[in-house]
Amino acid sequence: MEPKFFKIPISVGSVSLRVAKGHFATRNSHTNYFIDVTEQQSCLREAETVARQLAQRDLTRNTMVDTILCLDGTRVIGTCLAHELTQGGNRSINTGRDIYLLRENLSRDGKLIFRDNARFMLDGKNVLLLLASVTTGSTVRKGMRCVQYYKGNVAGVASIYSHVKEVDGIPVVSLFNTNDLPDYASHHPDECPLCKAGQPLDAVIDKYGYAAL
């Protein structure tokens, strides 16, 4: 059965959050909501709106951004965010600077890797991790390990929605959080109460979207 989507009655500027309630499986957890950010990831106008709202926040604790590492298919948002951060109107410390954009490149075993010609965008650079949503923090940690491996500095973490306030001591700056979706829950698959109650999965979800079951 297809999930039934609705918009939560809270917006950030003109950014709204479209969700479906049910029983969903990710690679790392089971959740009772699927947060659909397809339009924000794919539509230029929506991406610009998200970027504009994120740029108004202190994403990196007043650290200049050299590179944005776009995870979860956030390359369009990342491009718009780089544009916003380098414009003079935001009074940003990044005004007038260049910002590199990197999208995730996964090895066969699921690790983030970058070719030699891209390493200069990480080596010695302040890197902002950009995600669509943060649930358990595992994807953030993967990004952190990657940046550190290539001798970069994780300057901050930004997302549209986050279920956690920080990951390994670094705050997650998000437009929406658990205050906006108070009954959101995430569990390890072995500890999922929905599974224990016999509720079948509605869909499998990943950074590309969902596959209904």
Side-chain angles (χ1 to χ4, degrees):
M1 180 181 293
E2 288 290 320
K4 295 181 179 180
F5 289 95
F6 62 94
K7 290 184 178 180
I8 66 172
I10 298 169
S11 61
V12 178
S14 58
V15 181
S16 58
L17 198 63
R18 184 171 178 261
V19 303
K21 192 169 186 179
H23 186 189
F24 305 98
T26 73
R27 177 181 294 182
N28 302 299
S29 65
H30 283 196
T31 68
N32 63 337
Y33 277 97
F34 169 52
I35 298 172
D36 184 17
V37 292
T38 304
E39 289 198 8
Q40 289 95 334
Q41 289 172 315
S42 307
C43 173
L44 180 59
R45 181 176 297 177
E46 292 286 338
E48 287 175 338
T49 303
V50 170
R52 193 173 304 116
Q53 291 297 325
L54 285 173
Q56 295 174 13
R57 291 158 168 75
D58 183 8
L59 300 176
T60 59
R61 294 173 290 182
N62 295 315
T63 299
M64 288 189 297
V65 176
D66 298 305
T67 301
I68 299 176
L69 177 52
C70 304
L71 306 172
D72 288 350
T74 56
R75 184 68 180 271
V76 179
I77 299 172
T79 302
C80 297
L81 181 58
H83 178 76
E84 288 288 334
L85 291 177
T86 54
Q87 298 304 298
N90 286 317
R91 298 179 181 177
S92 170
I93 58 176
N94 299 285
T95 298
R97 303 179 71 250
D98 281 332
I99 293 180
Y100 296 111
L101 290 164
L102 282 174
R103 62 181 177 183
E104 60 188 339
N105 184 24
L106 298 178
S107 64
R108 291 183 178 180
D109 58 358
K111 293 181 179 179
L112 279 171
I113 60 171
F114 292 97
R115 305 303 180 193
D116 292 347
N117 57 295
R119 291 190 176 202
F120 78 95
M121 302 182 206
L122 295 169
D123 190 354
K125 300 296 191 295
N126 294 322
V127 182
L128 172 66
L129 303 183
L130 178 63
L131 300 92
S133 63
V134 179
T135 303
T136 63
S138 60
T139 301
V140 174
R141 291 187 179 92
K142 182 186 294 186
M144 288 178 170
R145 288 194 296 268
C146 174
V147 171
Q148 293 163 355
Y149 176 81
Y150 290 106
K151 302 179 181 178
N153 170 56
V154 179
V157 180
S159 66
I160 299 173
Y161 173 84
S162 181
H163 187 56
V164 298
K165 294 181 179 180
E166 57 87 23
V167 177
D168 295 347
I170 297 183
V172 179
V173 179
S174 62
L175 300 186
F176 300 92
N177 55 42
T178 50
N179 292 329
D180 306 308
L181 208 59
D183 59 335
Y184 183 98
S186 172
H187 302 278
H188 188 279
D190 294 337
E191 301 170 354
C192 176
L194 298 176
C195 289
K196 292 179 180 180
Q199 181 174 334
L201 285 169
D202 293 298
V204 175
I205 58 179
D206 60 19
K207 64 182 178 181
Y208 301 109
Y210 73 92
L213 299 176

